[in-house]
Amino acid sequence: MLRRTHHRFFRKKLLHRITTQRRNFSEDVKESPKVVFSGIQPTGIPHLGNYLGAIKQWVDLQKEENEIYFSIVDLHALTIPHEEKICEKVLSMVATLLACGIDPKRSIVFKQSEIKEHVMLSWLLSCIVQQNTLKNMIQWKEKSKSTRNAANLGLFTYPVLQCADILLYKATHVPVGNDQTQHLELCQDIARKFNNRFGTFFPEPVTLIDENCTKILSLRDPFSKMSKSQGHELSRINLDDSDDQIWNKIKKAVTDNTSAVTYDPIRRPGVANLIQIHSSMTDLTVNEICSRSEEEGLDTGQYKMAVAEAVIDHIRPIRAEYEKLVGDREHLETVLSEGTTKAKETAQKNWNELRSMVGLT
Ligand code: TYM
């Protein structure tokens, strides 16, 4: 049974807080409207890390006059085995994105595997990047280690396909969580190398990271990130979790033996993670949360109730909207096919120019 708290002061409206990292960006591109690109794997209902690290930023970026592409990257999902058909998961991802506030009139939502130019460009880029660069990618090293060097080739070349996704649309800005930083640096590097060799074509895309939710941590192990593929069910909050599930997961979140609510990501990562989640779901700053908790005399156990309440209040309308949308298969398929048609137009135009630049036509 869900226990409700009286800590209403924790509730405020959302605040838009985005950090822009700009790197070697030509003046022309800075002044023109942004071309935003991002992707998400259809590997189940997104968790709070996906939402706070990426999707929430995507929704905010729709408020500006941007050209926006969000790809459901089913080819990337092939790098791991799936019990359910990936295409079914693609449709439920469309429902989730719409429920979170992605508006198909403002953003182009599409399925990666419908546009073969992603793979064509990925091959072209793989002829530019050195294998040593890929061997040094952190995610590859982790995957190779955890599979005892038996990781598949798709996982090795995965970052190149990701670069192709972005560059195919000549994206200027890529909103992601900070686990993608290295992939984005590779993308900037490949764009630069291509431009130097074949003539300027690609912008070097800027990575957009929300400074307040760079990395949401596992609720069971605050030394690793919240993730779909790893960890216990209790380690992550999914966007379709019930109120009771959310409450239970936050109540059981691993913290430490200190009872005061203080923000210290190095020594107290579990508590800092809860504060970060709480801050992202309200417009309270970390300092406000800590000083108000002190004023109220809350210990971490009591504070968890305030966090759970903020998360429940934020997720409840998303879950309700998701449940409404997910049954309307026809609508979801229409959104996806209209998005795919629009994305294909840009992809084919850019690929045709690229083919000519590299001497294929
Ligand atoms: P994926 O599907 O693993 O995650 C989607 C987005 O969620 C962010 N994210 C997090 N942010 C904060 N804390 C966490 N614990 C957390 N977990 C996930 C990710 O940073 C990501 O932004 N390779 C990508 C998909 C991709 C892509 C692209 C992204 C393919 N092509 C082109 C951007 C541009 C991935 O696997 O994301």
Side-chain angles (χ1 to χ4, degrees):
M1 184 62 192
L2 178 71
R3 287 176 27 218
R4 310 289 292 174
T5 72
H6 63 284
H7 305 299
R8 295 283 157 187
F9 64 79
F10 279 125
R11 272 207 216 155
K12 279 196 196 168
K13 276 166 57 199
L14 285 171
L15 184 69
H16 182 128
R17 285 171 298 201
I18 290 181
T19 304
T20 307
Q21 302 172 355
R22 294 191 181 277
R23 294 162 201 242
N24 295 337
F25 211 58
S26 83
E27 286 307 311
D28 284 357
V29 175
K30 263 189 219 168
E31 277 161 22
S32 53
K34 294 182 190 126
V35 179
V36 176
F37 185 98
S38 201
I40 188 162
Q41 292 195 52
T43 42
I45 299 293
H47 51 68
L48 215 53
N50 301 127
Y51 177 68
L52 295 177
I55 301 171
K56 198 154 82 63
Q57 281 200 79
W58 302 0
V59 173
D60 283 341
L61 282 160
Q62 296 181 124
K63 292 176 193 151
E64 301 165 18
E65 282 304 309
N66 296 322
E67 182 182 332
I68 307 176
Y69 299 87
F70 296 129
S71 182
I72 302 176
V73 290
D74 51 347
L75 292 175
H76 282 89
L78 279 178
T79 52
I80 51 167
H82 293 262
E83 278 164 24
E84 201 189 330
K85 273 189 167 184
I86 296 180
C87 60
E88 295 299 330
K89 294 185 180 178
V90 169
L91 280 191
S92 84
M93 181 58 79
V94 177
T96 317
L97 295 181
L98 300 187
C100 290
I102 298 298
D103 175 1
K105 292 197 190 76
R106 301 276 309 110
S107 303
I108 296 171
V109 178
F110 73 98
K111 181 166 150 182
Q112 182 192 31
S113 67
E114 293 290 331
I115 302 181
K116 63 180 186 306
E117 285 76 9
H118 285 251
V119 182
M120 303 288 269
L121 181 56
S122 176
W123 177 255
L124 197 164
L125 301 181
S126 70
C127 299
I128 292 175
V129 68
Q130 289 177 354
Q131 56 159 315
N132 261 345
T133 310
L134 297 184
K135 271 187 192 157
N136 287 325
M137 304 298 284
I138 298 166
Q139 291 198 4
W140 166 251
K141 282 187 181 165
E142 284 170 357
K143 292 267 158 57
S144 315
K145 199 168 153 200
S146 66
T147 57
R148 297 191 187 162
N149 294 330
N152 63 53
L153 186 60
L155 281 168
F156 184 65
T157 56
Y158 180 109
V160 184
L161 180 58
Q162 179 161 347
C163 296
D165 297 338
I166 297 164
L167 297 177
L168 186 57
Y169 299 89
K170 299 176 85 169
T172 60
H173 293 76
V174 186
V176 283
N178 87 343
D179 60 328
Q180 300 298 317
T181 308
Q182 203 184 30
H183 291 161
L184 266 294
E185 281 166 5
L186 175 73
C187 187
Q188 290 155 350
D189 188 47
I190 290 185
R192 206 175 305 125
K193 286 199 170 106
F194 179 95
N195 290 345
N196 286 342
R197 195 183 303 175
F198 298 105
T200 304
F201 186 77
F202 296 125
E204 287 175 34
V206 175
T207 312
L208 295 178
I209 294 184
D210 185 338
E211 61 182 359
N212 289 293
C213 338
T214 54
K215 187 152 131 194
I216 301 300
L217 304 174
S218 155
L219 298 178
R220 300 302 294 163
D221 167 18
F223 293 96
S224 53
K225 71 167 185 178
M226 189 177 282
S227 142
K228 286 182 227 176
S229 54
Q230 291 158 22
H232 197 276
E233 221 359 75
L234 289 175
S235 69
R236 59 187 165 266
I237 291 171
N238 299 319
L239 293 185
D240 65 344
D241 278 351
S242 68
D243 293 358
D244 283 353
Q245 281 172 315
I246 296 170
W247 165 244
N248 192 36
K249 288 177 182 180
I250 292 181
K251 189 172 75 172
K252 293 195 172 141
V254 171
T255 49
D256 51 43
N257 294 329
T258 308
S259 69
V261 179
T262 56
Y263 187 73
D264 184 346
I266 306 291
R267 275 175 293 194
R268 305 193 66 201
V271 177
N273 191 39
L274 292 179
I275 296 175
Q276 200 173 46
I277 290 172
H278 188 185
S279 169
S280 312
M281 301 221 132
T282 58
D283 70 354
L284 292 166
T285 64
V286 165
N287 284 343
E288 280 169 333
I289 288 174
C290 295
S291 56
R292 288 178 189 203
S293 298
E294 195 183 346
E295 276 161 34
E296 287 243 332
L298 301 185
D299 61 24
T300 45
Q302 291 162 326
Y303 173 63
K304 281 179 178 177
M305 290 189 225
V307 180
E309 186 172 312
V311 175
I312 287 168
D313 284 351
H314 195 98
I315 285 187
R316 194 182 282 141
I318 295 177
R319 185 180 62 224
E321 191 59 19
Y322 169 78
E323 279 161 10
K324 214 166 75 193
L325 286 163
V326 78
D328 192 349
R329 212 183 156 94
E330 204 180 314
H331 175 58
L332 300 175
E333 278 170 353
T334 305
V335 167
L336 205 54
S337 76
E338 287 179 359
T340 303
T341 304
K342 287 185 203 154
K344 205 177 261 182
E345 213 175 286
T346 312
Q348 288 178 342
K349 177 180 166 291
N350 288 341
W351 173 246
N352 281 337
E353 284 183 45
L354 283 163
R355 282 200 317 170
S356 157
M357 287 179 86
V358 301
L360 289 174
T361 56

